[in-house]
Amino acid sequence: MHRVIEKIKGGLVVSCQAYPGEPLRHPETMAQMAMAAVEGGAVGIRCQGLADIAAIKGRVKVPVIGIWKEGDEGVYITPTLRHARCCVASGADIVALDATGRPRPDGLSYADTIRALHDEGVITMADCGSFSDAKRAVEAGTDIISTTLSGYTGDREKTDGPDFELLVQMVKAFPDVPVLCEGRIHTPDQLHRVMECGAWAAVVGTAITHPTTITRWFAASL
């Protein structure tokens, strides 16, 4: 097991991302958000975009999981080998990629992409939307698998909270592969249950770093 992966074991990875057009959409702001998360106990940071990756990597000492989103449908999370390589060049310790079977923009298969990255010494993480995605990722030799895309690809219904069922399936089927739970972890109690299910680590974003959504949760209760 690579030491970078060991560093996040049993801990909380905080996703620091802002959507296009939002007030917090700035690399320096995301870097400050990441620093605050680390001070609060985060063992890793997940972030989006080359500028954000570079800014955050320069400010924190915990592992940085980098992605590069391009577009908003189909395969858009680190969609090509070029995107992945650029994430690494910007400072990402781990690169997360869409691991679905959907066509990739550069024509490469998921396995081809992982093979090329491993030849270059890159640690990879699979954003999965189903068990078949996780199986594909493991067979390709991916270092980490995650529930990130559950509920967003049409393969599984979107659950109100984390997809515990998929998490447990992945943990049981692939005991030798670190499984991260990501997606709709909104409370400490949910996080606790995620870890009880055997997750290697958990990724929390919206509930910690997206004040617009958090404000809406409170406003909706009035």
Side-chain angles (χ1 to χ4, degrees):
M1 190 70 65
H2 196 285
R3 62 183 181 83
V4 169
I5 302 175
E6 288 284 0
K7 284 183 177 180
I8 65 173
K9 184 176 184 180
L12 170 65
V13 175
V14 174
S15 180
C16 298
Q17 301 181 46
Y19 301 104
E22 291 187 335
L24 300 185
R25 179 82 169 193
H26 192 282
E28 179 64 19
T29 303
M30 290 297 101
Q32 292 171 332
M33 189 81 78
M35 293 168 66
V38 172
E39 285 192 16
V43 299
I45 298 293
R46 175 168 164 132
C47 54
Q48 190 283 134
L50 306 184
D52 286 20
I53 293 170
I56 290 171
K57 183 61 180 176
R59 297 293 192 89
V60 302
K61 295 182 179 179
V62 298
V64 172
I65 301 171
I67 64 173
W68 180 2
K69 292 180 179 178
E70 189 160 78
D72 55 10
E73 59 182 24
V75 177
Y76 65 88
I77 298 178
T78 322
T80 70
L81 179 58
R82 177 179 66 86
H83 286 80
R85 284 171 169 161
C86 288
C87 288
V88 175
S90 296
D93 299 294
I94 300 168
V95 176
L97 311 89
D98 180 307
T100 66
R102 298 175 292 185
R104 307 181 75 82
D106 58 4
L108 295 177
S109 68
Y110 177 80
D112 291 336
T113 304
I114 295 301
R115 188 179 305 111
L117 292 173
H118 279 174
D119 286 345
E120 297 166 14
V122 179
I123 302 172
T124 55
M125 173 174 157
D127 286 349
C128 304
S130 66
F131 182 78
S132 62
D133 292 345
K135 185 173 184 292
R136 177 185 304 106
V138 171
E139 290 174 348
T142 314
D143 301 291
I144 303 167
I145 56 177
S146 175
T147 63
T148 309
L149 290 174
S150 174
Y152 299 105
T153 64
D155 292 318
R156 296 181 64 81
E157 289 188 13
K158 186 177 180 180
T159 53
D160 288 335
D163 191 338
F164 292 108
E165 182 181 42
L166 178 59
L167 172 62
V168 171
Q169 279 185 304
M170 290 165 63
V171 169
K172 288 184 177 180
F174 312 112
D176 297 326
V177 180
V179 179
L180 269 60
C181 185
E182 179 174 4
R184 301 181 297 278
I185 303 175
H186 293 158
T187 69
D189 285 344
Q190 289 176 333
L191 175 61
H192 183 70
R193 184 179 168 191
V194 160
M195 300 312 292
E196 285 187 326
C197 287
W200 183 271
V203 181
V204 177
T206 299
I208 296 176
T209 60
H210 200 253
T212 301
T213 298
I214 298 169
T215 302
R216 285 174 181 153
W217 291 344
F218 281 88
S221 71
L222 295 177

